[in-house]
């Protein structure tokens, strides 16, 4: 079976069991502060498991794009070393939300594996939870009995809490699980060693393929367990492993999921991948690992970019950048590829996967471009880093002090230059040096702890105040409403303690789709509480405040800051107009790549390969202002997603849409977008639109920042006033632009002339100094005070004097606009034979001019504030040299 067929068979099987097949959610997470990336098939359904969202369909199945960069085997540094762990993988899953439980889940899993995929029953093992006294959870007898009806009893193994009790996170739904393992060893090996002893023992051929979780408990913040009112099933089958097993391969990388990628890497590197499991040759081993790393990472990088997460310097973007650099580094070190190559693998991936994941084909050019630019930049960093490491190694060897590079330096190279530890070690080896890895690890741990401490959030359990099912959002039509608090929770970070409130109904918009969350108040006759922000969390609308009302049970009025909301709406509706105009005037290749809408301004990132011209920007502003003037009624409608797409409504990659969507229309022939945000009623409310800037954010991504309403008008006024001030300064009625140009030209010409004069004056000073040279015991000395305003030229004079005078010491005191400075130059022979050190001397005499200084043994410089001490400083040097 080809991979595509394996996937389809899974989905068809569960469809035949009345499951709704849903598309994979984007891999990059929104609305869950505990996750950056979807890390398992169940993550997109957390809102349902937590009871925050209604169950619309109680049976669901899908293949979900997942990303794991930490964990026992998925530690980024280890992926590629073995043959069955990945950063990005697909998890096939079927779910029961308060519907079927253990019986159906187990029977169907068995039916699919053994009757549909026809896996050999004699190679399968299953595990069930053995129970745990401390947790007060008994042995999973039900699962055991069910399995006994299907599989030989000695193939049912008992597992402990670590392997057979699945938890969503620190707190939340959890429960026992039953895993299915496959023994892929040869008959002979299976004869010799009983497979049962190798289950969950890290054997590369005896691997877990499916995990079936029975969610029946809630883990509370105090770590206790509570039974869940509704029981659920969450299953996850590793797609890449299943394909490997069905294709009879010994490595996930030998399947048709990875082989086309590896073939392309072979072409690019002119090297061969060896599919033998036991490769003993060290060079071939490192080639194999590098090819696996690259084949794995290109998937992660491409899918992340397709889902809207560009590589960057922080958060999720930084994770992607690190993965990308790791792939480049393996190409560089083990495959000797010295120029951008990853981008040339994208088309192979697109060909393989775009039938299932159309986002890849739709965004192929942007993915390729972003990767190319990132690669080019990293090669430059690599080169800079290489120079720096060589310099450091040379210094150490020259000084002959140490045999290793200290951990702090290695860490700095890693942290500042993105320079990997093992590459540093490799280069150090060329100089017969080692690196202090322990010290490096200490620095790394320290940094990790620091950032963990900053981001650590301690969360209490929800405290329920009033019973209600879900929050009603009234904010599309209301700015205030009566409400009750359903539940609240205390959340502590290093910086602050906050409370989160969930209301039965609310006018507060929770941050999403780029639009910031509302602020406002919650009040009644006794209390007033300020809501400082509103965010979405696993399907809840969470209001943030610094304190709780005293009488928490009562009725309240929730009131948003209406002015702030209206300004935000101006910017949000203007963003839709901008999106539409960009596509109409620049091209349909333009996709939204990010947006921020608040009360001050709007920021819109979009894919485009070149800078927009002033004429294009002006044209865009004009069209938007025309639309604003037409006072178009903004329409919003809810409809099934297919119907919305049929109207041509724009949807965004990386957004998770439900089966029913909200459509915002500003003139149906102009702008229709899927959007959950709040908007103006009529476009004239926006008043005016003005672009403030257009710039590059990343490769192929441009950013427009713009203002609306009074913000735009103030911006004009401010610029107009500034222009008037400039005109007043220029004191002329001529064209301001050409006048400023001519002032700047004149200034440049004067600077050139001045430099020439300074040089000439410097030469005169030098001639004068040469007349003052004293010679004692074959050494030429100059001790002089001069008046001169140009520091750089003093340095030049001193270097010229040194080469003219051969063996010499020159000490200059300089008065520059009433400030003293000291400079010393010493010829190299004296530095070497007499151990003279300009740096030590200057540090010694600088305090006499109330100053500080430093430099190198042959040249040092100090600046100070006390002119009185200048002569004394020179005298002191003279005495010392005598
Ligand atoms: N949540 C379980 C896992 O990730 C099953 O999907 O293994």
């Amino acid at each position: 079976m080809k991979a595509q067929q394996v996937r389809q068979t899974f989905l068809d099987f569960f469809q035949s069991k009345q499951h709704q097949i849903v598309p994979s959610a984007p891999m990059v997470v929104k609305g869950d502060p505990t996750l950056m990336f979807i890390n398992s098939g169940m993550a997109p359904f957390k809102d349902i498991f937590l009871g925050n969202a209604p169950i619309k369909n109680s049976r669901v199945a899908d293949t979900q794009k997942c990303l794991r960069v930490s964990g026992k085997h998925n530690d980024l540094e280890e992926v590629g070393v073995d043959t069955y762990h990945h950063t990005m993988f697909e998890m096939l899953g079927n779910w029961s939300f308060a519907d079927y439980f253990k019986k159906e889940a187990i029977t169907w899993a068995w039916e699919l594996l053994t009757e549909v995929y026809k896996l050999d029953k004699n190679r399968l093992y299953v595990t069930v939870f053995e129970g745990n006294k401390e947790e007060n959870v008994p042995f999973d007898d039900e699962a055991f009995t069910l399995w006994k009806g299907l599989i030989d009893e000695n193939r049912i193994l008992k597992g402990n809490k670590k392997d057979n009790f699945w938890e969503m996170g620190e707190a939340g739904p959890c429960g026992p699980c039953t895993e299915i393992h496959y023994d892929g060893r040869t008959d002979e090996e299976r004869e010799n060693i009983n497979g049962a002893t190798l289950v969950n023992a890290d054997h590369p051929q005896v691997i877990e393929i499916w995990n079936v979780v029975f969610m029946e408990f809630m883990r509370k913040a105090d770590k206790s367990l509570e039974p869940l009112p509704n029981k659920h099933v969450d299953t996850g089958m590793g797609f890449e492993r299943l394909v490997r097993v069905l294709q009879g391969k010994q490595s996930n990388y030998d399947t048709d999921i990875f082989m086309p990628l590896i073939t392309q890497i072979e072409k690019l590197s002119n090297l061969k991948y060896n599919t033998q499991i036991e490769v003993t040759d060290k060079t071939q081993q490192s080639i194999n690992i590098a090819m696996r790393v690259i084949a794995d990472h290109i998937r992660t990088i491409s899918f992340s970019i397709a889902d809207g997460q560009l590589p960057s310097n922080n958060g999720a973007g930084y994770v992607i950048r690190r993965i990308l650099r790791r792939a480049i580094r393996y190409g560089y070190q083990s495959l000797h590829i010295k120029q951008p190559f990853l981008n040339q693998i994208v088309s192979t991936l697109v060909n393989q996967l775009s039938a299932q994941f159309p986002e890849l084909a739709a965004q192929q050019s942007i993915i390729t471009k972003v990767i190319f630019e990132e690669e080019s930049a990293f090669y430059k960093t690599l080169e800079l880093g290489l120079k720096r490491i060589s310099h450091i190694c040379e210094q150490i060897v020259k000084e002959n002090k140490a045999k290793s590079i200290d951990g702090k330096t290695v860490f700095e190279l890693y942290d500042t230059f993105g320079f990997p530890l093992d590459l540093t070690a490799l280069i150090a080896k060329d100089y017969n040096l080692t690196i202090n890895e322990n010290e490096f690890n200490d620095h790394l741990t320290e940094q990790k702890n620091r950032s963990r401490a900053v981001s650590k959030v301690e969360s209490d359990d929800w405290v329920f105040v009033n019973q209600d099912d879900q929050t009603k959002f009234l904010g599309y039509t209301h700015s205030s409403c009566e409400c009750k608090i359903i539940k609240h929770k205390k959340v502590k970070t290093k910086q602050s303690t906050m409370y989160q409130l969930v209301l039965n109904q609310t006018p507060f918009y929770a941050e999403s789709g780029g639009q910031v969350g509302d602020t406002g108040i919650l009040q009644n006759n006794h209390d007033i509480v300020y809501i400082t922000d509103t965010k979405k969390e696993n399907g809840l609308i969470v209001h943030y405040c610094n304190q709780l009302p005293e009488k928490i049970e009562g009725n309240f009025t929730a009131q948003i800051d209406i002015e702030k909301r209206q300004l935000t709406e101006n910017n949000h509706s203007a963003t839709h107009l901008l999106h539409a105009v960009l596509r109409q005037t620049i091209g349909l290749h333009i996709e939204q790549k990010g947006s921020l809408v608040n009360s001050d301004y709007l920021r819109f990132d979009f894919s485009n390969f070149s800078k927009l011209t002033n004429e294009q920007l002006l044209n865009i502003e004009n069209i938007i202002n025309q639309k604003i003037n037409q006072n178009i009624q903004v329409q919003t409608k809810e409809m099934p997603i297919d119907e919305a797409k049929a109207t041509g409504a724009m949807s965004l990659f990386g957004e998770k849409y439900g089966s029913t969507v909200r459509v915002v229309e500003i003139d149906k022939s102009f702008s229709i977008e899927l959007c959950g945000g709040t908007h103006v009623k009529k476009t004239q409310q926006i008043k005016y639109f003005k672009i403030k800037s257009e710039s590059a954010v990343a490769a192929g991504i441009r950013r427009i920042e713009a203002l609306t309403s009074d913000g735009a008008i103030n911006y004009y006024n401010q610029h107009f006033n500034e222009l008037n001030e400039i005109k007043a300064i220029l004191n002329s009625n001529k064209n301001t632009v050409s006048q400023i140009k001519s002032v700047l030209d004149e200034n440049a010409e004067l600077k050139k002339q001045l430099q020439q004069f300074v040089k000439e004056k410097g030469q005169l000073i030098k001639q004068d100094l040469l007349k003052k040279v004293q010679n004692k015991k074959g050494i030429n000395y100059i001790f002089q005070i001069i008046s001169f305003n140009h520091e750089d030229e003093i340095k030049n004079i001193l270097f010229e004097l040194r080469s003219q005078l051969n063996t010499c010491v020159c000490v200059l005191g300089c008065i520059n606009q009433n400030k003293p400075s000291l400079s010393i130059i010493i010829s190299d022979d004296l530095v070497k034979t007499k151990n003279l050190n300009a740096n030590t001397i200057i540090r010694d005499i600088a305090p006499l001019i109330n100053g500080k200084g430093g430099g190198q043994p042959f040249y040092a410089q100090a600046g100070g504030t006390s002119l009185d001490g200048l002569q004394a400083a020179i005298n002191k040097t003279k005495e010392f040299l005598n």
Side-chain angles (χ1 to χ4, degrees):
M1 262 194 195
K2 294 262 179 237
Q4 166 66 20
Q5 214 181 334
V6 174
R7 191 192 287 112
Q8 199 53 49
T9 303
F10 178 90
L11 299 175
D12 291 347
F13 177 82
F14 281 102
Q15 193 163 34
S16 78
K17 309 284 185 206
Q18 292 76 49
H19 286 61
Q20 185 196 13
I21 308 303
V22 298
S24 170
M27 198 163 69
V28 185
V29 175
K30 290 184 181 143
D32 181 351
T34 63
L35 275 187
M36 272 187 199
F37 300 100
I38 296 287
N39 59 357
S40 67
M42 57 78 64
F45 302 108
K46 270 170 90 173
D47 50 358
I48 298 179
F49 286 120
L50 288 164
N52 299 338
I55 299 169
K56 289 197 186 128
N57 203 319
S58 62
R59 295 182 184 190
V60 169
D62 69 359
T63 181
Q64 173 62 45
K65 301 175 276 188
C66 300
L67 178 57
R68 289 187 188 171
V69 282
S70 55
K72 194 164 155 230
H73 293 282
N74 299 73
D75 190 29
L76 184 55
E77 290 309 319
E78 284 180 38
V79 167
V81 178
D82 73 20
T83 56
Y84 59 111
H85 286 92
H86 303 290
T87 51
M88 187 243 156
F89 58 95
E90 283 180 59
M91 200 182 252
L92 301 168
N94 56 294
W95 282 272
S96 153
F97 303 122
D99 188 325
Y100 61 83
F101 205 46
K102 297 186 186 180
K103 178 163 169 276
E104 292 83 345
I106 288 178
T107 325
W108 289 338
W110 192 248
E111 183 187 336
L112 176 63
L113 291 181
T114 60
E115 287 170 36
V116 181
Y117 288 133
K118 301 210 182 313
L119 283 182
D120 179 358
K121 291 181 187 166
N122 294 323
R123 288 178 178 270
L124 292 169
Y125 292 90
V126 300
T127 61
V128 294
F129 184 46
E130 65 184 7
N132 186 295
K133 278 216 177 74
E134 277 162 39
E135 298 274 17
N136 204 14
V137 180
F139 164 59
D140 193 350
D141 201 24
E142 190 184 349
F144 183 79
T145 313
L146 285 163
W147 279 122
K148 243 179 20 183
L150 299 166
I151 185 171
D152 201 40
E153 193 171 333
N154 57 23
R155 295 186 164 272
I156 311 174
L157 312 168
K158 290 182 184 173
N160 59 18
K161 191 175 145 193
K162 181 177 119 301
D163 290 324
N164 281 86
F165 196 87
W166 204 87
E167 310 212 27
M168 194 169 85
E170 296 275 307
C174 55
C177 58
T178 181
E179 300 167 339
I180 305 171
H181 295 251
Y182 183 83
D183 185 349
R185 293 172 305 150
T186 60
D187 291 343
E188 196 189 341
E189 284 169 321
R190 289 193 299 135
E191 193 81 353
N192 288 341
I193 300 173
N194 179 0
T197 61
L198 300 175
V199 166
N200 274 330
D202 284 346
H203 191 288
Q205 301 304 325
V206 185
I207 52 172
E208 178 197 335
I209 51 173
W210 204 343
N211 187 13
V212 180
V213 182
F214 308 117
M215 299 271 194
E216 42 185 327
F217 300 105
M218 174 63 96
R219 173 78 69 192
K220 307 195 47 190
D222 67 4
K223 300 288 165 222
S224 63
L225 290 177
E226 202 173 70
L228 277 178
N230 285 327
K231 294 188 172 58
H232 313 289
V233 172
D234 149 30
T235 90
M237 175 145 64
F239 173 64
E240 294 74 12
R241 292 184 180 186
L242 176 67
V243 172
R244 155 189 171 177
V245 163
L246 290 173
Q247 295 184 352
K249 306 288 184 192
Q250 290 189 303
S251 149
N252 291 6
Y253 292 91
D254 295 347
T255 64
D256 65 336
I257 303 175
F258 290 96
M259 248 3 242
L261 299 171
I262 290 183
T263 309
Q264 175 67 358
I265 302 166
E266 286 182 325
K267 264 194 219 142
L268 293 169
S269 63
N270 252 331
L271 292 166
K272 283 266 157 252
Y273 184 74
N274 187 328
T275 52
Q276 296 294 315
I277 266 297
E278 300 292 342
V279 178
T280 46
D281 179 69
K282 283 261 177 285
T283 312
Q284 187 61 48
Q285 265 176 6
S286 71
I287 291 173
N288 276 5
I289 292 176
M291 290 194 179
R292 287 199 289 262
V293 165
I294 295 163
D296 173 278
H297 289 8
I298 191 67
R299 290 159 40 96
T300 298
I301 303 159
S302 305
F303 273 109
S304 306
I305 298 173
D307 277 353
Q309 183 56 64
L310 298 177
S312 74
N313 266 344
N314 49 45
Y318 190 53
V319 175
I320 301 307
R321 179 164 281 168
R322 269 175 50 217
I323 294 176
L324 195 140
R325 291 182 165 187
R326 184 168 185 259
I328 299 173
R329 190 181 100 204
Y330 270 93
Y332 187 89
Q333 267 175 269
S334 308
L335 308 181
H336 316 294
I337 308 180
K338 305 278 189 254
Q339 71 270 328
F341 68 100
L342 282 176
N343 63 91
Q344 294 173 55
I345 314 171
V346 175
S347 56
T348 313
L349 184 71
V350 171
N351 286 342
Q352 267 178 279
L353 282 179
S354 52
Q356 180 66 30
F357 303 105
E359 64 272 28
L360 279 182
Q363 308 206 67
Q364 181 172 352
S365 65
I366 187 90
I367 297 170
T368 314
K369 174 92 178 168
V370 169
I371 296 180
F372 174 77
E373 295 292 337
E374 277 284 318
E375 284 188 278
S376 311
F378 187 55
Y379 275 104
K380 282 195 198 111
T381 310
L382 271 178
E383 268 165 32
L384 272 181
L386 280 174
K387 277 196 194 129
R388 204 178 150 82
I389 297 176
S390 305
H391 178 74
I392 291 168
C393 292
E394 276 161 21
Q395 282 299 113
I396 297 177
V397 171
K398 202 159 109 197
E399 287 168 16
N400 205 9
K401 275 200 283 213
K403 283 269 155 269
S404 72
I405 311 181
D406 65 282
K408 187 162 178 257
T409 307
V410 180
F411 181 74
E412 267 163 20
L413 283 162
Y414 166 87
D415 198 37
T416 324
F417 290 85
F419 219 71
L421 176 78
D422 47 0
L423 197 50
T424 308
L426 210 68
I427 297 162
K429 216 166 133 197
D430 288 344
Y431 292 84
N432 270 332
L433 296 172
T434 54
I435 58 172
N436 192 329
E437 213 171 317
N438 288 342
E439 243 176 59
F440 169 83
N441 285 330
D442 291 346
H443 283 282
L444 194 65
T445 316
E446 203 180 299
Q447 191 201 43
K448 276 191 186 156
N449 289 344
R450 261 200 312 272
S451 53
R452 222 174 272 143
V454 172
S455 60
K456 191 166 167 52
V457 179
E458 277 176 35
S459 179
D460 285 358
D461 280 325
W462 286 111
V463 178
F464 286 81
V465 183
N466 288 296
Q467 283 305 321
D468 219 311
D469 275 357
Q470 257 106 35
T471 308
K472 276 198 233 56
F473 174 62
L474 304 181
Y476 291 134
T477 47
H478 292 64
S479 57
S480 75
C481 71
E482 296 306 301
C483 66
K484 280 195 285 210
I485 297 173
I486 302 182
K487 54 183 177 179
H488 62 86
K489 160 160 107 166
K490 187 154 101 183
V491 180
K492 260 199 272 183
T493 64
K494 202 169 160 59
Q495 292 86 14
S496 63
T497 299
M498 304 277 282
Y499 293 89
Q500 301 184 338
L501 305 177
V502 176
L503 310 176
N504 65 335
Q505 50 182 12
T506 179
F508 282 78
Y509 179 79
E511 177 186 326
S512 65
Q515 181 177 336
V516 294
D518 277 323
T519 57
I521 52 174
L522 196 64
Q523 67 177 340
N524 59 19
N525 291 339
H526 313 281
D527 276 309
I528 179 160
V529 167
Y530 293 90
I531 304 297
T532 55
D533 203 355
T534 315
K535 288 182 197 271
K536 265 195 190 147
E537 194 174 314
N538 293 314
L540 292 177
I541 298 175
V542 178
H543 306 74
Y544 284 74
C545 54
N546 294 325
Q547 71 188 76
L548 289 177
E550 263 174 45
K551 294 202 172 116
I552 197 111
E553 294 83 8
N555 289 337
F556 293 87
T557 304
Q559 166 74 54
I560 61 167
D561 180 338
I562 185 74
E563 191 189 336
K564 189 174 152 195
R565 162 74 91 78
Q566 277 170 352
L567 291 171
T568 307
E569 288 178 346
N570 291 340
N571 285 331
H572 200 158
S573 301
T575 303
H576 281 216
L577 292 173
L578 174 62
H579 191 183
V581 182
L582 279 169
R583 284 171 64 91
Q584 284 157 27
T585 61
I586 310 298
L588 290 177
H589 63 279
I590 285 191
E591 299 271 0
Q592 174 169 338
K593 286 289 161 205
S595 88
L596 171 73
V597 178
N598 63 26
S599 53
D600 295 332
Y601 77 119
L602 67 95
R603 192 176 79 197
F604 187 74
D605 295 348
F606 56 100
S607 49
N608 193 37
F609 290 130
S610 53
K611 186 172 173 52
L612 300 189
T613 63
N614 285 344
E615 290 74 43
Q616 284 172 325
L617 293 175
L618 203 63
N619 186 33
I620 290 167
E621 281 177 355
N622 284 340
I623 300 176
I624 294 178
N625 283 318
Q626 273 167 21
K627 287 288 160 193
I628 291 173
N629 263 324
Q630 286 166 9
N631 206 15
I632 303 160
Q633 181 94 35
V634 177
Q635 312 271 2
T636 55
K637 294 173 203 155
E638 299 230 331
M639 59 179 82
I641 186 150
D642 293 337
E643 199 180 305
K645 287 196 171 160
T647 66
M650 283 189 285
S651 56
L652 308 180
F653 291 109
E655 283 299 329
K656 185 179 156 196
Y657 295 110
S659 48
T660 307
V661 290
R662 185 164 177 268
V663 176
V664 177
E665 198 180 279
I666 312 178
D667 173 353
K668 70 170 179 289
S669 62
F670 194 76
S671 156
I672 318 179
E673 264 190 61
L674 303 193
C675 176
T678 68
H679 287 270
V680 298
K681 305 267 167 306
K682 288 177 134 199
T683 53
Q684 256 178 17
Q685 217 172 295
I686 307 171
K687 277 196 196 157
Y688 202 77
F689 174 85
K690 173 75 197 149
I691 293 176
K692 232 173 97 175
S693 65
E694 193 271 353
S695 57
V697 209
I701 312 282
R702 310 287 313 175
R703 167 170 293 177
I704 284 182
E705 292 186 332
L707 301 164
T708 59
S709 183
D710 293 349
I713 294 159
N714 290 342
Y715 183 76
Y716 269 116
N717 287 340
Q718 193 191 334
H719 275 69
F720 192 68
N721 290 343
E722 234 170 77
L723 184 64
N724 279 342
E725 275 177 42
I726 294 170
K727 278 181 188 281
I729 293 168
L730 291 172
N731 195 14
S732 147
N733 280 332
K734 285 194 212 141
N735 178 311
T736 317
V737 176
S738 63
Q739 261 221 299
I740 289 183
K741 266 194 194 141
S742 78
V743 169
L744 289 177
D745 287 348
E746 201 177 313
N747 190 35
E749 182 54 36
L750 289 173
K751 258 192 194 151
K752 239 200 261 160
Q753 286 182 15
L754 180 65
Q755 266 167 5
Q756 188 56 32
F757 285 131
V758 169
K759 272 239 153 340
E760 284 170 18
K761 174 94 193 282
Q763 287 307 313
L764 291 177
I765 292 175
K766 191 181 90 184
Q767 297 310 330
D768 215 30
L769 288 171
L770 279 172
K771 288 182 200 144
K772 310 254 165 72
V773 176
Q774 302 164 16
N775 188 297
K776 277 192 195 164
K777 299 189 188 161
I779 301 175
N780 289 314
Y781 292 98
I782 294 178
F783 297 100
Q784 277 300 318
I785 294 180
I786 55 170
S787 258
F788 197 36
N789 291 347
H790 302 277
E791 301 276 344
D792 285 354
E793 198 48 33
I794 295 182
K795 193 171 169 186
N796 273 344
I797 298 172
L798 280 172
F799 275 76
E800 284 180 24
L801 284 172
R802 182 178 68 159
S803 56
Q804 267 176 271
L805 294 174
N806 298 321
T807 301
C808 66
V809 180
C810 308
V811 183
L812 282 193
C814 176
I815 302 168
N816 177 355
Q817 288 168 347
N818 267 334
K819 286 246 172 81
S821 68
L822 286 158
S823 309
I824 304 178
I825 201 155
I826 304 173
S827 57
D828 283 344
D829 53 344
L830 292 180
V831 172
K832 278 194 196 118
T833 58
K834 303 271 183 227
N835 246 343
L836 284 184
N837 190 327
N839 181 32
T840 329
I841 302 175
I842 209 97
R843 283 170 193 275
D844 196 31
I845 58 174
L848 293 171
I849 57 165
N850 199 14
K852 270 192 204 142
Q856 285 147 306
F858 62 93
Y859 175 73
Q861 215 266 343
T865 52
S866 159
L867 271 180
D868 295 347
L870 204 51
Q871 190 59 51
I874 293 196
N875 292 347
K876 192 171 176 190
T877 320
K878 224 189 253 180
E879 269 166 41
F880 166 72
L881 290 169
N882 271 337

